[in-house]
Structures are given as structure tokens and as C-alpha cells.
Amino acid sequence: MKTIKLLLIFAISAHKLIAQTAPPPQPNPHIDVVNPNTESSRFAIRGIMSSTAPGGFSTGVRGISNGTGGLGIGVYGSHNGSGWGVYGTTPNGLGVYGNSSANGYGVYANSNTGIGMNATSNNGIAANISIFNNANNNNVLNINTVGNGTVINANTSGNGTGIRSSTGAGFALHGITSSQTSAGLVADNNGAGEGVVGRITSDIAGAVVGRNDGGGYGVRGFVATNTTGTAVGVLGQIGLNNSQGRAGRFENFNTTNTLGNTLEVETNGNGNIPDNTLGNASSFLVDNTNSVAAAVRGEVKTIFGNFGAAGIFGRSSGTGGFAGLFHASNPSGNGNALVAITDGNGNAITANASKNGNAVEANIDGAGNALYAWVPTFATGRAGRFNNYNEDNRTDVVTVTNIGNGIGVNVKIDNTNGTSPALKGEVNSQFANFGTAGVYGLSSGTGGFAGLFHASNTSGNGPAIMALTDGAGDAVIASAGGNGNGVEGSADGTGNGVYGYTPNFGTGRAGRFANFNNSNANPAVHITTTGTGSGLFVNHTGASGSIAIFQSGNSNVARIDKNGRGYFNNGTQTGGADLAEAFDVNGNTNDFEPGDVLVISADKDRTVEKSAEPYSTLVAGVYATKPGILLTEENIDSELTGKVPMGVVGVIPTKVCLEGGPIKRGDLLVTSSIPGVAMRANRSKVEVGQVLGKALQEFDSATINKINVLVNVK
């Protein structure tokens, strides 16, 4: 050591002596100091500043190069092995300090095949690079490569961060690439963890933001190699550590953006028929049996009702598929497959089929209703309405078909105080063609009714059917095209099968029956009764007018006036052959029979009895078998009990005998001694008032019998 110091002193002294006496220095002057020592911590040259408080920029060894170009080195250190070319050390300061006062490098590190610069630390920071000038907008660190290697390769074998970057207002980490096949930032995790994690505490910013100022993707997530079907391209989660908020949100802030959708989900998969929860373009699930949240909520705020302006818009563009399918799949569930509610004036559901399909098709597999429409207790609208606005459309507005035994349409007004009809049919037409009806009932089978109206309440007073017209048309028209009746009315009680009346303000007829077929030989009115009442009952309670008027060719031919008197223009014709009058009898009417010869009773006024002596001058007539006209002083309502019809004029079957000899046609007949029997008169014995009449038949029999007699008492 002492030898080295002596050599150094000698070299310095010799240098000074040469500098004083020698000629100018030659190019590339240098001092070589060689130390062959192999021990540790030895040095060839050593410079020491002995003061513990040296001045600024005082140096133990200083190398200066006065070159102004790019050549020259102030201090040059080298090492032929794997050691250090320059080594600096300090307890708290800078081990090596390089500074550039202009545009040069403060420290320049270079290596041909090794590492250009290597900074390490056992307990501190391995490297610290900073800019302390607020006005300096240059990059703190520039790292470039023209090769294919990684520009920055950071790794840690512990739990620390590979790269940690923070900034006040700039980008904490900014990755740029100019190649389409590359990426500005790629993060790999080979331990089944996350590739990129963004963490913030902001209420307005995103932990991870993808931005694209071109036409590509803002954020793109994809699965490259997984084939298990469990991978997710993009996963948004909420609820971890009791967090709240949205798992995903997509927004468009450009009101004029009509070139793209805010969210698009597309798949070209085939779907999964055995499990329709898989293989879909999208699937939403609220996995909470106590939840009231919606699996999908779509909302649109617009003043227009244009096509596509919908909270949810479903479209089927193929030849099959559904634009929307809602399936309540739990057979024990009571929830609806679809609920549509509107709080405004629009329709809750609008369905339109532009071709031959159904706008709405509903069917049931159970005992419910294929279509159920109702109005709640507080509403005032209709439960259903069906309109056709096409005048050329001749199809039904509503068609109901039932192949079962149930009712086709069941309409009920369930309100005992209601005054509205259960069913109202209206047609607004100027024509009265077949089928142009407010209600059209058709029975197309071999039985059944085209219409049935049943007032089923036995205590009710309402009619089963009522027909009113305010115009000149008929209230009811009934036509039977076959052998049936145009109108059949029956009464199971004490009412009327058919009851026609004209109210106190009306001027029409209570009933009219007309036959307009000249070749129809049937009666216009046919009345039949098998009871004990009248076949026809006419009651005239008015102040004037006839009970009945009969016309022929619009002219009166017969009339019964209000008092019961009959008027017949051309006389009358009856089914009987005589004129009779009802008389009381002496004795019991059961003892008399048709054909008995009757005489005036001497015991009682207006009374007759059987004849009992020959040539009686009290002879009055014969008990009529079939009188054409029966006269009586009794009212027509009298049943003529206790009276017999005595024929006084006409052809009457009369009892006769041979007491006066055989009877020839034209013989005069008188009473015989046999009660109630006539005989031939002896013209020489006949007196006035004894002749009963003339015989119209011959008689020559030992027994009493009847012959026709022209009765005319003389």
C-alpha cells in the first residue's frame, strides 16, 4: 500500500515537472496505474475529500471531457468479466448520479446481449424515476423496442402488484398499439383468477371503461377455447359483500342515434329443445321465490306509438318461431303467463294479424276460459267489443262454434235492479233482406230451435220475449217454409197461447189473419178445442160497433151487432131441416126423446107434453132430432136445462104407427092414442087444428118407427 502511494506521489510530481519543462503534450496523454493485488476491496486509484462538510459538487474523483460533440467520456469504467464497470455507493444519497443539462441523457445504459440497466433493492425501491417540474409535459419514462419482445415485463413471486400506476388527472395506465391483430392492453391470469380487475369508489365513474372512437367495440368479451358450456363472455355481478346496484346497464345519450341498437344479443345456435332454458340468445332469471322483481323490464318514454316504439319488441323473422312466448311452467302455480296493464288511455294489448292468421288465439287445456274479459267494480268500460270497419268484409264479426253440449254464448245481467238487456243486437241498414237482423238465430240440424226465450222464474211477471217497432214495420214476422206453423203459442197455465191487443192509445188491430194464395183451400183461421169451453169467444166492451162483421169481396155480407142480432144479406143455411123452439115439459126431460109428438099442456103455461089421444087439437109439434134453428126466450148463455127442442116447421123425423092404417106419401098425420106417436088421419074426421103435417115417406110396419114428416100444424 505504501508502495502504491509513493508511486502515485512520484507520478504526480513527475507530471508537474514535465508540465513545467517539457514541450506541449502529445495526443492521447494518459496515466496508467496498475494494481495486481487480488485481495478484496482494493483499488488502483483513490481520491478522497477529507472534509465532512465539503462544498457543493465537491468530488473525490472527477473526469472531464471538453468535447462539444457526441464523442468523449467524462469518466469511463469497464470490467472484462461479469462485474461492474462503474460502482457507486452511499448510505442515504445517490450511489451514482448522472445529469444532463440540455437534451442528453443523465444516465445511459446499454447492452449488446445482456441487460442495459438493472436496478435492485433488498429493502427499498429498486428504481425511482421522477419529474419535479410542473411545467414539464414530457413522459417520465420512455421504453421502446424494435424487436418482438415484451416492452415491459413485470413479475412478482409474492403477493405484490406486478405493475402499479397512479395519476392525478391523467391515465394511470395507457396502452397503445397500431396493429389490428394486437391489443392496447392484454392481461392474463394462469391461475383461474381474473385477467383485468378495475376497482374504484366513485359514484359516477366505471371501474372498467371500454371506449371506441371508431366502428368497433367499446368492450368485447368472448370465450375462445372452452367447450364445456360454462364459460361466460361478459359477466356483470352485484350483491357480493351485500353490495347493491345494477349488474349491467347500457345507455345511449345521442338522441339522433338511429343507426345502432343500445343493446344487441345475437346467436346462431340451434337452441335446446329438451331444456329451453339453454341455447337462447338471452336468458333472464330471478332466482328467489320471495322476490317481486321482474326477470326482464323494458321501458320506453315517447309520445309516439310508432312501430317498434315498445318497452319490449319481439320479432320472428323466419318462417316459424314466436315473436314472443310467455310460459308459466309450474303446474302448481297460480301466476299469469302474461299480464298487460296500462295506466293511460291506450290499449293494454293491441294485436294485429296482417295476413290470414289470428290476431289473438287463445285455448285452454283445463277447465278455465280460453278468453276471459271482465270489468272491475270501479270501472265503467266494456268487458269486450268487436268491430268491423271494412264495408266490403262479409265475414262474421264474431263466430262462436261449439261441438259439445254446452251453450254457445251465455250472457247474463246478474243485477236484480238492472234494466239493461243481457244481449243487444242492432243492425243499421235500409234493407230488410234475409239475415239483415239485429239478432239472427239459425237451427241447421234436424232439431233444435233457431231461437229460445225462457222466463224461468216461476214468480216472475216479465215476458219471455218482447218485440217493439217504432216504425211502420212489423214487430214480429214468422214464416214456416215447410209444414210447420208460422207461430205456435201455448199456455201451460191459465194464460193465453196467443194474446194480441191494442193499447188505449193505439189505432191498429189486435190481430189479423190473411191468406194471399188464391189456390190455397185451407181456412185462414182454424180453431179447434177438445175442452168444454167455447171454440171462439168474442167480447165487445166498447160503446159502439158490431161484435162481428163478415165480408166477401170487401163488402159486408153478414154482421152480428153489439146486441147479438145477426144480419145476413142472402139469408141463412143451417145443417138441420126444421125450425124448433125450446119449451118446458110436463115431467122429466129424460122421459122424452127425438120423434115424440108434443101437445100443449093444459096444466102450465108455455109447457108441452107427449100426445095421448087421437085427433088432439092441442098438437103443437115434434121433438126435433136436428133443428136447423132453435128459438128460445132464454139468454144465449142459458143451457136450456129442463127444456126440449120442439120443431114447429120443417122436415122432422116423427114417430108413427098403423093405428090409422098404412101411411102413404102426402097423407095427413094426426095424434094417435099411443103417447107421443102420430097416425094417418081420416080426412072425413079432421077438424081445424088437428093436422100435425104431411108424411114424406111410406110406412107399413107393425112396430112403431120414425119417418120424415113435413111438420106444419094446421
Side-chain angles (χ1 to χ4, degrees), residues 69-139:
L71 300 176
I73 299 173
V75 175
Y76 180 84
S78 65
H79 193 288
N80 290 331
S82 59
W84 302 292
V86 176
Y87 177 78
T89 180
T90 178
N92 296 310
L94 305 176
V96 175
Y97 177 77
N99 178 52
S100 174
S101 60
N103 294 325
Y105 297 96
V107 174
Y108 179 79
N110 177 57
S111 175
N112 290 328
T113 58
I115 298 173
M117 183 176 66
N118 186 11
T120 63
S121 175
N122 291 330
N123 298 311
I125 297 173
N128 188 4
I129 303 173
S130 303
I131 291 178
F132 296 106
N133 183 3
N134 292 334
N136 185 356
N137 294 325
N138 291 308
N139 299 326

Side-chain angles (χ1 to χ4, degrees), residues 107-201:
V107 174
Y108 179 79
N110 177 57
S111 175
N112 290 328
T113 58
I115 298 173
M117 183 176 66
N118 186 11
T120 63
S121 175
N122 291 330
N123 298 311
I125 297 173
N128 188 4
I129 303 173
S130 303
I131 291 178
F132 296 106
N133 183 3
N134 292 334
N136 185 356
N137 294 325
N138 291 308
N139 299 326
V140 176
L141 178 64
N142 281 347
I143 303 176
N144 301 288
T145 181
V146 295
N148 295 324
T150 301
V151 178
I152 297 178
N153 187 356
N155 63 77
T156 175
S157 59
N159 295 327
T161 302
I163 295 178
R164 183 178 185 273
S165 175
S166 65
T167 181
F171 299 125
L173 184 62
H174 188 185
I176 299 175
T177 183
S178 57
S179 174
Q180 181 179 359
T181 59
S182 185
L185 177 64
V186 173
D188 294 328
N189 189 323
N190 297 324
E194 313 305 286
V196 176
V197 175
R199 297 186 302 177
I200 62 171
T201 59

Side-chain angles (χ1 to χ4, degrees), residues 25 40 157 201 212 245 250 263 270 293 301 335 343 349 373 380 424 455 458 519 638:
S40 300
S157 59
T201 59
N212 188 340
F250 301 87
L263 173 63
N270 294 326
K301 291 184 178 180
D343 295 331
I349 294 179
T380 59
K424 177 186 177 183
T458 56
S519 62
S638 174

